[in-house]
Amino acid sequence: MHAVVSGWMLADDGYSGANRRLLGLLGSAHASLGSGERVTVLHHPSFAPPEFARIGWRAVDIARGPTWQRARAERRLLPSALDDLGATVYDHGFLPAPRVAVPLCLTVHDVRDADGHGRWPRLLARAVLVRALRRAAAVVTVSDWTAARLRALAPGCAPRVVPNGVRVEAAGRDLEDVPEHGFVLHVGHLEPRKNLAVLLRALAALDDGRRPELWLVGQDAGAWPKLRALAERLGVAGSVRHLGVQPDSALRAFYRAARLVAVPSLYEGFGLPALEARAYGARVAVSDRGALREVVGDGDVLPADDAAAWAAAMDAPREDRADVVARRVAATSACSWAAASRQWLEVLRAVSAARS
């Protein structure tokens, strides 16, 4: 098997869930690769690839966006790259799916556009998705909830669920200058489907004397100006911080120090920050939408638009009892990137063998 993987969406300053997943899988794949099996990742020339054991990298000048430009570059450059590498299976992680001469394994992280929570018109998104599923020799997705949506949108589709994992590392330095009443943490792009306005309304419902701060970690995808204006109207602008993208070393410290990690999204195909937060022992509250209930286990599940419920969760004291923290961590013990990479490679291996 020689699996070639699309990685040109990887970026040195990009911390999307899809990118974190791909890097997590690649970083653990070496332990499950058999003799003579290879994985090569095609990446954009501007990306500096990490050094992962038994993972090869090749630069290919395929644009990350816009979508039409990326798709045109894939049609022009992918066939020769796959032929030159001698690929036996091609792993592709976004839409649309290109036509290639080797079996295609399509990874679907979510179907937000097809469900009306993205930038594409819903009917167009559904057509593109169904066409991609028909081209794929195998379909991988990240949660049972997303698998069910795929089966509903494309009857006959049989996706293989390979959940995300988490890698817990040493805590490193603790955070300094934590506010007197702590902070509520949200990790993820700032975009409408993240439903961050409900956190601002919840914050405004709390008394000034015990109000925590709200720390937003992630890239602004266009929502921050409106959120900042809303915070000013509600009188809580001084309690809201947008900290931008943070490296993993900083995220560990944020998770460990947070009073609450809040994920109020209107739509999630998985919700990796919720899993990561629990792996570091944090208290987590998620909305009742998408796959979040599946990911968070016995964590708090709240109505997405109920600001009073989110205010109560924010107002609850930080729980530091060792047995409680240990229970949260234990709930994620089976969610490793090593286990995920084994399942992922099993799919690639089966597709490659079928071709032979």
Side-chain angles (χ1 to χ4, degrees):
M1 180 189 75
H2 186 184
V4 176
V5 180
S6 58
W8 44 88
M9 300 295 280
L10 293 170
D12 294 322
D13 59 351
Y15 285 84
S16 70
N19 284 354
R20 294 173 70 82
R21 172 183 170 87
L22 180 54
L23 293 175
L25 293 173
L26 294 171
S28 299
H30 64 92
S32 300
L33 283 171
S35 175
E37 293 183 331
R38 291 183 292 159
V39 173
T40 299
V41 184
L42 304 178
H43 66 93
H44 193 269
S46 64
F47 177 67
E51 293 185 6
F52 289 152
R54 301 186 65 184
I55 300 297
W57 300 85
R58 175 172 292 196
V60 57
D61 195 13
I62 293 178
R64 300 187 180 105
T67 301
W68 67 268
Q69 188 174 349
R70 169 170 52 81
R72 186 173 65 179
E74 288 169 354
R75 287 196 300 270
R76 182 167 54 89
L77 299 176
L78 260 181
S80 59
L82 295 174
D83 183 64
D84 183 51
L85 289 166
T88 63
V89 57
Y90 171 60
D91 182 271
H92 191 79
F94 28 86
L95 298 174
R99 292 183 181 275
V100 291
V102 296
L104 169 70
C105 177
L106 178 68
T107 296
V108 180
H109 300 276
D110 59 54
V111 290
R112 73 182 80 161
D113 289 287
D115 279 343
H117 289 273
R119 298 178 179 177
W120 291 21
R122 182 181 298 189
L123 291 180
L124 174 62
R126 291 190 175 188
V128 170
L129 173 64
V130 170
R131 181 180 298 177
L133 295 173
R134 289 173 178 167
R135 288 181 181 175
V139 177
V140 169
T141 191
V142 295
S143 65
D144 291 333
W145 186 85
T146 303
R149 291 299 302 133
L150 286 171
R151 291 192 293 269
L153 291 167
C157 179
R160 169 75 179 271
V161 176
V162 179
N164 287 322
V166 64
R167 181 181 293 110
V168 177
E169 301 179 12
R173 296 181 60 184
D174 292 334
L175 282 183
E176 299 177 358
D177 300 325
V178 174
E180 178 184 358
H181 300 292
F183 65 93
V184 174
L185 177 68
H186 177 271
V187 177
H189 292 338
L190 275 59
E191 55 184 318
R193 72 181 176 93
K194 298 298 185 179
N195 193 31
L196 296 173
V198 76
L199 299 184
L200 298 182
R201 294 195 296 270
L203 205 63
L206 300 178
D207 293 340
D208 292 347
R210 65 172 190 269
R211 180 185 294 149
E213 292 188 1
L214 174 61
W215 290 11
L216 305 175
V217 172
Q219 182 179 353
D220 177 23
W224 175 237
K226 291 183 178 179
L227 290 171
R228 183 172 52 199
L230 176 60
E232 291 173 353
R233 290 198 301 272
L234 293 171
V236 296
S239 298
V240 181
R241 300 190 197 181
H242 177 215
L243 303 176
V245 174
Q246 298 289 326
D248 285 351
S249 57
L251 277 181
R252 295 194 293 270
F254 286 134
Y255 284 139
R256 291 182 184 273
R259 177 171 176 164
L260 172 73
V261 176
V263 188
S265 302
L266 298 173
Y267 193 100
E268 290 288 352
F270 187 87
L272 186 54
L275 180 66
E276 291 177 334
R278 286 176 63 78
Y280 283 102
R283 183 167 66 94
V284 179
V286 303
S287 78
D288 55 356
R289 306 289 181 88
L292 288 168
R293 187 189 300 271
E294 175 184 339
V295 172
V296 82
D298 62 353
D300 293 340
V301 180
L302 307 177
D305 293 322
D306 189 343
W310 287 98
M314 289 180 173
D315 201 31
R318 176 182 163 87
E319 179 57 84
D320 283 327
R321 276 176 36 201
D323 61 323
V324 174
V325 173
R327 186 173 69 247
R328 294 170 186 155
V329 174
T332 66
S333 60
C335 304
S336 69
W337 286 121
S341 66
R342 285 195 297 271
Q343 297 175 61
W344 175 57
L345 288 172
E346 284 174 6
V347 177
L348 297 179
R349 196 175 287 126
V351 173
S352 179
R355 173 183 183 271
S356 300

